[in-house]
PDB file of all heavy atoms in Angstrom:
ATOM      1  N   ALA A1382       9.407 -13.614   9.678  1.00  0.00           N
ATOM      2  CA  ALA A1382      10.640 -13.825   8.881  1.00  0.00           C
ATOM      3  C   ALA A1382      11.569 -12.683   8.935  1.00  0.00           C
ATOM      4  O   ALA A1382      12.790 -12.842   9.080  1.00  0.00           O
ATOM      5  CB  ALA A1382      10.283 -14.144   7.461  1.00  0.00           C
ATOM      6  N   GLN A1383      11.148 -11.491   8.965  1.00  0.00           N
ATOM      7  CA  GLN A1383      11.995 -10.328   9.006  1.00  0.00           C
ATOM      8  C   GLN A1383      12.733 -10.258  10.408  1.00  0.00           C
ATOM      9  O   GLN A1383      13.888  -9.985  10.447  1.00  0.00           O
ATOM     10  CB  GLN A1383      11.100  -9.156   8.824  1.00  0.00           C
ATOM     11  CG  GLN A1383      11.980  -7.716   8.806  1.00  0.00           C
ATOM     12  CD  GLN A1383      10.983  -6.594   8.857  1.00  0.00           C
ATOM     13  OE1 GLN A1383      10.140  -6.367   9.598  1.00  0.00           O
ATOM     14  NE2 GLN A1383      11.161  -5.778   7.840  1.00  0.00           N
ATOM     15  N   ALA A1386      15.446 -12.854  10.340  1.00  0.00           N
ATOM     16  CA  ALA A1386      16.570 -12.477   9.369  1.00  0.00           C
ATOM     17  C   ALA A1386      17.385 -11.316  10.097  1.00  0.00           C
ATOM     18  O   ALA A1386      18.702 -11.368  10.118  1.00  0.00           O
ATOM     19  CB  ALA A1386      16.128 -11.950   8.058  1.00  0.00           C
ATOM     20  N   GLN A1387      16.767 -10.325  10.713  1.00  0.00           N
ATOM     21  CA  GLN A1387      17.501  -9.255  11.306  1.00  0.00           C
ATOM     22  C   GLN A1387      18.306  -9.792  12.559  1.00  0.00           C
ATOM     23  O   GLN A1387      19.350  -9.222  12.789  1.00  0.00           O
ATOM     24  CB  GLN A1387      16.548  -8.082  11.601  1.00  0.00           C
ATOM     25  CG  GLN A1387      16.002  -7.387  10.411  1.00  0.00           C
ATOM     26  CD  GLN A1387      14.892  -6.330  10.648  1.00  0.00           C
ATOM     27  OE1 GLN A1387      14.546  -6.158  11.932  1.00  0.00           O
ATOM     28  NE2 GLN A1387      14.347  -5.775   9.751  1.00  0.00           N
ATOM     29  N   LEU A1390      21.240 -11.237  11.069  1.00  0.00           N
ATOM     30  CA  LEU A1390      22.197 -10.381  10.257  1.00  0.00           C
ATOM     31  C   LEU A1390      22.718  -9.160  10.992  1.00  0.00           C
ATOM     32  O   LEU A1390      23.833  -8.667  10.721  1.00  0.00           O
ATOM     33  CB  LEU A1390      21.487  -9.887   8.944  1.00  0.00           C
ATOM     34  CG  LEU A1390      21.138 -11.120   8.043  1.00  0.00           C
ATOM     35  CD1 LEU A1390      20.251 -10.444   6.927  1.00  0.00           C
ATOM     36  CD2 LEU A1390      22.465 -11.644   7.411  1.00  0.00           C
ATOM     37  N   TRP A1391      21.989  -8.612  11.861  1.00  0.00           N
ATOM     38  CA  TRP A1391      22.289  -7.349  12.606  1.00  0.00           C
ATOM     39  C   TRP A1391      23.184  -7.623  13.753  1.00  0.00           C
ATOM     40  O   TRP A1391      22.763  -7.876  14.788  1.00  0.00           O
ATOM     41  CB  TRP A1391      21.011  -6.614  13.011  1.00  0.00           C
ATOM     42  CG  TRP A1391      20.162  -6.061  11.800  1.00  0.00           C
ATOM     43  CD1 TRP A1391      20.223  -6.327  10.695  1.00  0.00           C
ATOM     44  CD2 TRP A1391      19.121  -5.154  12.043  1.00  0.00           C
ATOM     45  NE1 TRP A1391      19.259  -5.688   9.852  1.00  0.00           N
ATOM     46  CE2 TRP A1391      18.640  -4.900  10.750  1.00  0.00           C
ATOM     47  CE3 TRP A1391      18.649  -4.300  12.977  1.00  0.00           C
ATOM     48  CZ2 TRP A1391      17.578  -3.902  10.534  1.00  0.00           C
ATOM     49  CZ3 TRP A1391      17.552  -3.557  12.857  1.00  0.00           C
ATOM     50  CH2 TRP A1391      17.013  -3.200  11.400  1.00  0.00           C
ATOM     51  N   TYR A1434      20.494  -1.019   5.857  1.00  0.00           N
ATOM     52  CA  TYR A1434      19.846  -2.447   5.653  1.00  0.00           C
ATOM     53  C   TYR A1434      18.567  -2.155   4.905  1.00  0.00           C
ATOM     54  O   TYR A1434      17.939  -1.162   5.306  1.00  0.00           O
ATOM     55  CB  TYR A1434      19.681  -3.062   7.059  1.00  0.00           C
ATOM     56  CG  TYR A1434      18.882  -4.352   6.821  1.00  0.00           C
ATOM     57  CD1 TYR A1434      19.592  -5.532   6.572  1.00  0.00           C
ATOM     58  CD2 TYR A1434      17.471  -4.484   7.120  1.00  0.00           C
ATOM     59  CE1 TYR A1434      18.831  -6.833   6.425  1.00  0.00           C
ATOM     60  CE2 TYR A1434      16.825  -5.690   7.027  1.00  0.00           C
ATOM     61  CZ  TYR A1434      17.526  -6.793   6.611  1.00  0.00           C
ATOM     62  OH  TYR A1434      16.803  -8.018   6.516  1.00  0.00           O
ATOM     63  N   LEU A1435      18.247  -3.150   4.025  1.00  0.00           N
ATOM     64  CA  LEU A1435      16.794  -3.028   3.363  1.00  0.00           C
ATOM     65  C   LEU A1435      16.533  -4.502   3.035  1.00  0.00           C
ATOM     66  O   LEU A1435      17.302  -5.362   2.931  1.00  0.00           O
ATOM     67  CB  LEU A1435      16.863  -1.933   2.235  1.00  0.00           C
ATOM     68  CG  LEU A1435      17.699  -2.265   0.981  1.00  0.00           C
ATOM     69  CD1 LEU A1435      17.209  -3.313   0.050  1.00  0.00           C
ATOM     70  CD2 LEU A1435      17.911  -0.954   0.278  1.00  0.00           C
ATOM     71  N   GLU A1436      15.216  -4.580   2.649  1.00  0.00           N
ATOM     72  CA  GLU A1436      14.806  -5.771   2.190  1.00  0.00           C
ATOM     73  C   GLU A1436      13.947  -5.498   0.838  1.00  0.00           C
ATOM     74  O   GLU A1436      13.075  -4.610   0.900  1.00  0.00           O
ATOM     75  CB  GLU A1436      13.716  -6.564   3.080  1.00  0.00           C
ATOM     76  CG  GLU A1436      14.536  -7.011   4.406  1.00  0.00           C
ATOM     77  CD  GLU A1436      13.624  -7.101   5.615  1.00  0.00           C
ATOM     78  OE1 GLU A1436      12.441  -6.793   5.497  1.00  0.00           O
ATOM     79  OE2 GLU A1436      14.063  -7.453   6.689  1.00  0.00           O
ATOM     80  N   SER A1437      14.307  -6.292  -0.226  1.00  0.00           N
ATOM     81  CA  SER A1437      13.540  -5.919  -1.420  1.00  0.00           C
ATOM     82  C   SER A1437      12.560  -7.120  -1.764  1.00  0.00           C
ATOM     83  O   SER A1437      12.970  -8.284  -1.498  1.00  0.00           O
ATOM     84  CB  SER A1437      14.482  -5.679  -2.578  1.00  0.00           C
ATOM     85  OG  SER A1437      13.793  -5.644  -3.900  1.00  0.00           O
ATOM     86  N   SER A1438      11.425  -6.802  -2.354  1.00  0.00           N
ATOM     87  CA  SER A1438      10.553  -7.780  -2.630  1.00  0.00           C
ATOM     88  C   SER A1438      10.660  -8.347  -4.029  1.00  0.00           C
ATOM     89  O   SER A1438      10.002  -9.255  -4.467  1.00  0.00           O
ATOM     90  CB  SER A1438       9.014  -7.375  -2.410  1.00  0.00           C
ATOM     91  OG  SER A1438       8.808  -6.158  -3.304  1.00  0.00           O
ATOM     92  N   VAL A1444      17.207  -5.505  -6.909  1.00  0.00           N
ATOM     93  CA  VAL A1444      18.593  -5.737  -6.430  1.00  0.00           C
ATOM     94  C   VAL A1444      19.740  -5.136  -7.199  1.00  0.00           C
ATOM     95  O   VAL A1444      20.518  -4.411  -6.542  1.00  0.00           O
ATOM     96  CB  VAL A1444      18.747  -7.377  -6.260  1.00  0.00           C
ATOM     97  CG1 VAL A1444      20.231  -7.756  -6.019  1.00  0.00           C
ATOM     98  CG2 VAL A1444      17.837  -7.953  -5.262  1.00  0.00           C
ATOM     99  N   PHE A1452      24.785  -1.453  -1.877  1.00  0.00           N
ATOM    100  CA  PHE A1452      24.236  -2.524  -1.025  1.00  0.00           C
ATOM    101  C   PHE A1452      24.643  -3.939  -1.727  1.00  0.00           C
ATOM    102  O   PHE A1452      24.951  -3.979  -2.831  1.00  0.00           O
ATOM    103  CB  PHE A1452      22.690  -2.499  -1.067  1.00  0.00           C
ATOM    104  CG  PHE A1452      22.155  -1.421  -0.229  1.00  0.00           C
ATOM    105  CD1 PHE A1452      21.984  -0.134  -0.686  1.00  0.00           C
ATOM    106  CD2 PHE A1452      21.546  -1.775   1.134  1.00  0.00           C
ATOM    107  CE1 PHE A1452      21.310   0.908   0.169  1.00  0.00           C
ATOM    108  CE2 PHE A1452      21.104  -0.803   1.970  1.00  0.00           C
ATOM    109  CZ  PHE A1452      21.009   0.514   1.399  1.00  0.00           C
ATOM    110  N   GLN A1453      24.761  -4.842  -0.776  1.00  0.00           N
ATOM    111  CA  GLN A1453      25.183  -6.233  -1.125  1.00  0.00           C
ATOM    112  C   GLN A1453      24.081  -7.195  -0.663  1.00  0.00           C
ATOM    113  O   GLN A1453      23.551  -7.095   0.467  1.00  0.00           O
ATOM    114  CB  GLN A1453      26.594  -6.596  -0.514  1.00  0.00           C
ATOM    115  CG  GLN A1453      27.651  -5.790  -1.086  1.00  0.00           C
ATOM    116  CD  GLN A1453      28.977  -6.200  -0.489  1.00  0.00           C
ATOM    117  OE1 GLN A1453      29.045  -6.898   0.563  1.00  0.00           O
ATOM    118  NE2 GLN A1453      30.056  -6.036  -1.187  1.00  0.00           N
ATOM    119  N   LEU A1454      23.740  -8.132  -1.402  1.00  0.00           N
ATOM    120  CA  LEU A1454      22.769  -9.134  -1.151  1.00  0.00           C
ATOM    121  C   LEU A1454      23.447 -10.056  -0.029  1.00  0.00           C
ATOM    122  O   LEU A1454      24.392 -10.602  -0.300  1.00  0.00           O
ATOM    123  CB  LEU A1454      22.289  -9.997  -2.350  1.00  0.00           C
ATOM    124  CG  LEU A1454      21.243 -10.941  -2.190  1.00  0.00           C
ATOM    125  CD1 LEU A1454      19.959 -10.404  -1.754  1.00  0.00           C
ATOM    126  CD2 LEU A1454      21.154 -11.740  -3.517  1.00  0.00           C
ATOM    127  N   VAL A1455      22.783 -10.208   0.993  1.00  0.00           N
ATOM    128  CA  VAL A1455      23.314 -10.982   2.204  1.00  0.00           C
ATOM    129  C   VAL A1455      22.495 -12.084   2.555  1.00  0.00           C
ATOM    130  O   VAL A1455      22.983 -13.021   3.231  1.00  0.00           O
ATOM    131  CB  VAL A1455      23.574 -10.088   3.449  1.00  0.00           C
ATOM    132  CG1 VAL A1455      24.705  -9.123   3.193  1.00  0.00           C
ATOM    133  CG2 VAL A1455      22.417  -9.420   3.960  1.00  0.00           C
ATOM    134  N   ARG A1456      21.229 -12.170   2.136  1.00  0.00           N
ATOM    135  CA  ARG A1456      20.419 -13.337   2.472  1.00  0.00           C
ATOM    136  C   ARG A1456      19.113 -13.308   1.704  1.00  0.00           C
ATOM    137  O   ARG A1456      18.566 -12.232   1.548  1.00  0.00           O
ATOM    138  CB  ARG A1456      20.158 -13.212   4.033  1.00  0.00           C
ATOM    139  CG  ARG A1456      19.384 -14.359   4.545  1.00  0.00           C
ATOM    140  CD  ARG A1456      19.113 -14.184   6.021  1.00  0.00           C
ATOM    141  NE  ARG A1456      18.764 -15.383   6.733  1.00  0.00           N
ATOM    142  CZ  ARG A1456      17.487 -15.807   6.930  1.00  0.00           C
ATOM    143  NH1 ARG A1456      16.378 -14.971   6.559  1.00  0.00           N
ATOM    144  NH2 ARG A1456      17.199 -16.809   7.686  1.00  0.00           N
ATOM    145  N   ASN A1457      18.592 -14.460   1.275  1.00  0.00           N
ATOM    146  CA  ASN A1457      17.342 -14.597   0.792  1.00  0.00           C
ATOM    147  C   ASN A1457      16.364 -14.955   1.973  1.00  0.00           C
ATOM    148  O   ASN A1457      16.658 -15.795   2.732  1.00  0.00           O
ATOM    149  CB  ASN A1457      17.304 -15.680  -0.273  1.00  0.00           C
ATOM    150  CG  ASN A1457      18.110 -15.364  -1.491  1.00  0.00           C
ATOM    151  OD1 ASN A1457      18.337 -14.165  -1.689  1.00  0.00           O
ATOM    152  ND2 ASN A1457      18.538 -16.269  -2.273  1.00  0.00           N
ATOM    153  N   MET A1458      15.262 -14.266   1.899  1.00  0.00           N
ATOM    154  CA  MET A1458      14.355 -14.539   3.025  1.00  0.00           C
ATOM    155  C   MET A1458      13.051 -15.139   2.501  1.00  0.00           C
ATOM    156  O   MET A1458      12.538 -14.418   1.527  1.00  0.00           O
ATOM    157  CB  MET A1458      13.991 -13.291   3.742  1.00  0.00           C
ATOM    158  CG  MET A1458      13.035 -13.380   4.889  1.00  0.00           C
ATOM    159  SD  MET A1458      12.870 -11.924   5.932  1.00  0.00           S
ATOM    160  CE  MET A1458      12.636 -10.678   4.856  1.00  0.00           C
ATOM    161  N   VAL A1459      12.603 -16.284   2.820  1.00  0.00           N
ATOM    162  CA  VAL A1459      11.287 -16.882   2.132  1.00  0.00           C
ATOM    163  C   VAL A1459      10.196 -16.603   3.227  1.00  0.00           C
ATOM    164  O   VAL A1459      10.352 -16.876   4.485  1.00  0.00           O
ATOM    165  CB  VAL A1459      11.396 -18.381   2.134  1.00  0.00           C
ATOM    166  CG1 VAL A1459      10.293 -19.102   1.609  1.00  0.00           C
ATOM    167  CG2 VAL A1459      12.567 -18.781   1.190  1.00  0.00           C
ATOM    168  N   MET A1468       9.629 -14.604  -2.036  1.00  0.00           N
ATOM    169  CA  MET A1468      11.120 -14.412  -1.601  1.00  0.00           C
ATOM    170  C   MET A1468      11.342 -12.927  -1.421  1.00  0.00           C
ATOM    171  O   MET A1468      10.907 -12.041  -2.255  1.00  0.00           O
ATOM    172  CB  MET A1468      11.985 -14.871  -2.809  1.00  0.00           C
ATOM    173  CG  MET A1468      13.483 -14.726  -2.430  1.00  0.00           C
ATOM    174  SD  MET A1468      13.936 -16.087  -1.321  1.00  0.00           S
ATOM    175  CE  MET A1468      13.881 -17.548  -2.326  1.00  0.00           C
ATOM    176  N   LEU A1469      12.092 -12.608  -0.267  1.00  0.00           N
ATOM    177  CA  LEU A1469      12.516 -11.286  -0.140  1.00  0.00           C
ATOM    178  C   LEU A1469      14.035 -11.274  -0.103  1.00  0.00           C
ATOM    179  O   LEU A1469      14.592 -12.262   0.205  1.00  0.00           O
ATOM    180  CB  LEU A1469      12.048 -10.727   1.162  1.00  0.00           C
ATOM    181  CG  LEU A1469      10.517 -10.508   1.314  1.00  0.00           C
ATOM    182  CD1 LEU A1469       9.956 -10.157   2.571  1.00  0.00           C
ATOM    183  CD2 LEU A1469       9.995  -9.643   0.207  1.00  0.00           C
ATOM    184  N   TYR A1470      14.698 -10.211  -0.503  1.00  0.00           N
ATOM    185  CA  TYR A1470      15.980 -10.168  -0.655  1.00  0.00           C
ATOM    186  C   TYR A1470      16.745  -9.204   0.349  1.00  0.00           C
ATOM    187  O   TYR A1470      16.371  -7.996   0.325  1.00  0.00           O
ATOM    188  CB  TYR A1470      16.515  -9.662  -2.069  1.00  0.00           C
ATOM    189  CG  TYR A1470      15.837 -10.742  -2.940  1.00  0.00           C
ATOM    190  CD1 TYR A1470      14.590 -10.445  -3.663  1.00  0.00           C
ATOM    191  CD2 TYR A1470      16.444 -12.013  -3.275  1.00  0.00           C
ATOM    192  CE1 TYR A1470      14.025 -11.351  -4.472  1.00  0.00           C
ATOM    193  CE2 TYR A1470      15.870 -12.850  -4.153  1.00  0.00           C
ATOM    194  CZ  TYR A1470      14.634 -12.669  -4.691  1.00  0.00           C
ATOM    195  OH  TYR A1470      14.081 -13.451  -5.628  1.00  0.00           O
ATOM    196  N   CYS A1471      17.482  -9.667   1.435  1.00  0.00           N
ATOM    197  CA  CYS A1471      17.973  -8.762   2.416  1.00  0.00           C
ATOM    198  C   CYS A1471      19.373  -8.237   1.851  1.00  0.00           C
ATOM    199  O   CYS A1471      20.164  -9.013   1.411  1.00  0.00           O
ATOM    200  CB  CYS A1471      18.199  -9.608   3.584  1.00  0.00           C
ATOM    201  SG  CYS A1471      16.813 -10.534   4.388  1.00  0.00           S
ATOM    202  N   MET A1472      19.550  -6.910   2.005  1.00  0.00           N
ATOM    203  CA  MET A1472      20.689  -6.246   1.428  1.00  0.00           C
ATOM    204  C   MET A1472      21.224  -5.311   2.533  1.00  0.00           C
ATOM    205  O   MET A1472      20.465  -4.765   3.344  1.00  0.00           O
ATOM    206  CB  MET A1472      20.259  -5.540   0.307  1.00  0.00           C
ATOM    207  CG  MET A1472      19.707  -6.365  -0.933  1.00  0.00           C
ATOM    208  SD  MET A1472      19.556  -5.572  -2.332  1.00  0.00           S
ATOM    209  CE  MET A1472      21.256  -5.464  -2.907  1.00  0.00           C
ATOM    210  N   MET A1473      22.658  -5.278   2.563  1.00  0.00           N
ATOM    211  CA  MET A1473      23.328  -4.496   3.567  1.00  0.00           C
ATOM    212  C   MET A1473      24.316  -3.547   2.981  1.00  0.00           C
ATOM    213  O   MET A1473      24.817  -3.903   1.861  1.00  0.00           O
ATOM    214  CB  MET A1473      23.990  -5.487   4.617  1.00  0.00           C
ATOM    215  CG  MET A1473      24.257  -4.666   6.021  1.00  0.00           C
ATOM    216  SD  MET A1473      24.663  -5.881   7.195  1.00  0.00           S
ATOM    217  CE  MET A1473      23.124  -6.700   7.504  1.00  0.00           C
TER     218      MET A1473
END
Side-chain angles (χ1 to χ4, degrees):
Q1383 181 184 60
Q1387 290 174 3
L1390 297 170
W1391 290 17
Y1434 175 85
L1435 62 79
E1436 296 155 359
S1437 176
S1438 59
V1444 169
F1452 284 87
Q1453 294 181 339
L1454 183 62
V1455 292
R1456 185 177 195 267
N1457 293 336
M1458 179 172 51
V1459 178
M1468 183 74 71
L1469 296 172
Y1470 304 94
C1471 303
M1472 302 187 75
M1473 203 167 290

